[in-house]
Amino acid sequence: MTSLRQILFFALHILAVLPVCSQTLFLEASGTTSDGKYAPLWLSSNRQGTVSPYSDSSYERCGLFGDAMIGKDSTKALRISYCADIMLSQNAQYDFFIHQLYLEMKYRKFTVTLGQKERNIEMRNDTLTSGGLSQGINAQPLPGVYVYCDYLTVPGTGRWLKVRGHLGVGRTTDGAWQERWVDHEKNYRYTSNTLLLEKSICLRIAPEWSHLVFEPSLHMMTQFGGTSYNALGRNHYDITQPIKHPENFKAFWQAFCHIGSEDVTDGNHPNSAGNTVGSYNIALTWNDEDWMARGYFERYFEDQSMLTVQYGIFDHLLGLEVRLPENPVISSFVLEHLSTKDQSGPVYHDFTHNIPESYTGIDDYYNHNLYTGWQHWGMAIGHPLITSPIYNANHQLRFQNNRVKALHVGLEGMPSSRLGWRLLATWTRNWGTYATPLDDVVQTQHYLAEARYTPSFLPGWKITMGVALDRGDLLGNSFGVQCTVRKSFNLRKR
């Protein structure tokens, strides 16, 4: 993605001559300290990969956000947003990092994003949720090209049925770090320059006479391309020879539609190419001027398993979010239940000529035999309660605990316009994986109390203080404190 970054830097320079509606420069510094081997989970997880999971860490961050408009009619004008956001980190996976660098163009219902940008979890409260199963806010964003279409009304439905979707392709940036971090004496697998194609479609069913909105959606992502090292495949037995995955038009097409696809190592037993994950997401929202209540359900799947209900609906993320009328006590709360323990069952058998029967099971969430799984810079791209590889003491890029059950509660409030707080509490039970189960079921507890303050006597300043506690043998006991200070400057161009 070097050429993409060069194009973006050039585009940002050109934008300097455009009429700027708003421009913000911010400086941020954050420090985390704890008494455990790792920082408490909620001090480092679901923060877009900005905070190190290690016990004592810090970062310094500088960013410039801008917004420009071409055209006088705001409803028809081309709006251009841009950002350059860089970080220096201590005791993290990286020392210097370009966290965000993007150029975004929006015209009516369509948006094109070029570069690396933070994204939210759809139909979820990012501040209070435990995370997303297929795509969350836990890892560093990938640079790429993404096209979004906002809700379009389906003709002939009286405006109560709308559809939206997106398509994009990105590339991982952690290849050099993977090579440094894995244990080469044990020939642990690592990858570089992996591509990620993602697509989604979402319906919105909302009769005008009702306060209810029903939103079912399908999200699918496929890791493909790049190079795998120390990897074995069905027809690849020499671990010393890297596996170069194709990145031609056929590879892109197979990653998009999955028809007739197979990995280069499959031989006589073809399987779907790459590492495909996805989820069904369903949300039912009731909304009026003061109240909002949303129930949501996410059903995760890998490859072709779990695409239907033939194996039952055991694994899920089930949640409830309620936003209360304005008051000084509690503004919102979230309750979630997570289960990834079943994974289509404990038996798997693929089709062979001798035994022409196949059984889908042991889905082994987030893991793959050729790629390093559903992670970026060691952090799970999806849900942080599926333990990220960065916590593996043996330095293996593999998810060693993906069979989890959890109960999660989140609360937030705004006692005043300048003071806000949130509380998170999570209780989990962990079984490891089917292939490498834990000796005993491990129970963990994760807590966070955080407050943010914007003092009136210091315009543009925001101070966030958090204390967190972990209990359990999975990541170890830990008590930690985190302080983040940000100063924003509003810049305007005449």
Side-chain angles (χ1 to χ4, degrees), residues 164-229:
R164 65 174 169 85
H166 91 284
L167 176 67
V169 61
R171 189 185 290 273
T172 59
T173 60
D174 62 345
W177 172 81
Q178 287 191 35
E179 185 177 4
R180 294 193 307 269
W181 191 80
V182 300
D183 189 336
H184 289 270
E185 292 184 358
K186 297 181 180 179
N187 293 322
Y188 284 150
R189 180 172 60 252
Y190 64 97
T191 60
S192 65
N193 296 317
T194 302
L195 292 170
L196 175 62
L197 187 144
E198 57 183 75
K199 55 186 182 289
S200 71
I201 185 170
C202 180
L203 301 178
R204 186 178 191 269
I205 304 171
E208 293 185 355
W209 47 265
S210 174
H211 288 287
L212 288 174
V213 177
F214 180 58
E215 295 175 290
S217 64
L218 172 63
H219 299 250
M220 293 186 69
M221 288 75 69
T222 299
Q223 290 175 317
F224 70 106
T227 305
S228 299
Y229 301 89

Side-chain angles (χ1 to χ4, degrees), residues 462-477:
K462 182 171 74 171
I463 303 170
T464 304
M465 289 288 300
V467 294
L469 177 71
D470 280 4
R471 286 293 178 264
D473 293 334
L474 192 64
L475 303 181
N477 296 335

Side-chain angles (χ1 to χ4, degrees), residues 331-375:
S331 58
S332 300
F333 73 83
V334 163
L335 176 64
E336 293 180 340
H337 181 265
L338 171 71
S339 177
T340 64
K341 184 174 180 285
D342 183 67
Q343 303 191 25
S344 300
V347 177
Y348 173 80
H349 185 272
D350 207 353
F351 174 90
T352 66
H353 294 293
N354 296 328
I355 306 178
E357 301 289 344
S358 62
Y359 307 94
T360 300
I362 313 181
D363 288 343
D364 202 10
Y365 290 168
Y366 293 6
N367 286 319
H368 192 261
N369 67 313
L370 297 177
Y371 292 95
T372 49
W374 202 231
Q375 63 84 35

Side-chain angles (χ1 to χ4, degrees), residues 36-65:
K37 182 178 180 181
Y38 301 104
L41 184 75
W42 292 132
L43 289 183
S44 60
S45 296
N46 284 347
R47 297 175 186 264
Q48 304 280 1
T50 57
V51 179
S52 167
Y54 301 122
S55 59
D56 296 301
S57 67
S58 58
Y59 70 78
E60 298 78 42
R61 185 176 175 186
C62 176
L64 176 67
F65 294 88

Side-chain angles (χ1 to χ4, degrees), residues 95-223:
D95 298 322
F96 170 79
F97 195 80
I98 299 176
H99 179 60
Q100 294 186 93
L101 178 65
Y102 66 83
L103 174 66
E104 189 168 78
M105 296 164 286
K106 183 175 182 179
Y107 181 72
R108 295 191 175 184
K109 296 288 187 178
F110 294 90
T111 303
V112 178
T113 302
L114 306 175
Q116 190 166 320
K117 181 186 178 182
E118 291 184 352
R119 290 185 289 171
N120 299 327
I121 306 175
E122 295 182 353
M123 300 179 290
R124 208 78 56 88
N125 184 324
D126 284 357
T127 304
L128 299 182
T129 183
S130 62
L133 281 172
S134 61
Q135 196 165 40
I137 54 175
N138 193 50
Q140 283 280 356
L142 275 66
V145 180
Y146 306 91
V147 180
Y148 302 87
C149 177
D150 203 354
Y151 279 117
L152 298 173
T153 301
V154 177
T157 63
R159 300 180 63 182
W160 59 265
L161 178 59
K162 298 182 179 182
V163 60
R164 65 174 169 85
H166 91 284
L167 176 67
V169 61
R171 189 185 290 273
T172 59
T173 60
D174 62 345
W177 172 81
Q178 287 191 35
E179 185 177 4
R180 294 193 307 269
W181 191 80
V182 300
D183 189 336
H184 289 270
E185 292 184 358
K186 297 181 180 179
N187 293 322
Y188 284 150
R189 180 172 60 252
Y190 64 97
T191 60
S192 65
N193 296 317
T194 302
L195 292 170
L196 175 62
L197 187 144
E198 57 183 75
K199 55 186 182 289
S200 71
I201 185 170
C202 180
L203 301 178
R204 186 178 191 269
I205 304 171
E208 293 185 355
W209 47 265
S210 174
H211 288 287
L212 288 174
V213 177
F214 180 58
E215 295 175 290
S217 64
L218 172 63
H219 299 250
M220 293 186 69
M221 288 75 69
T222 299
Q223 290 175 317

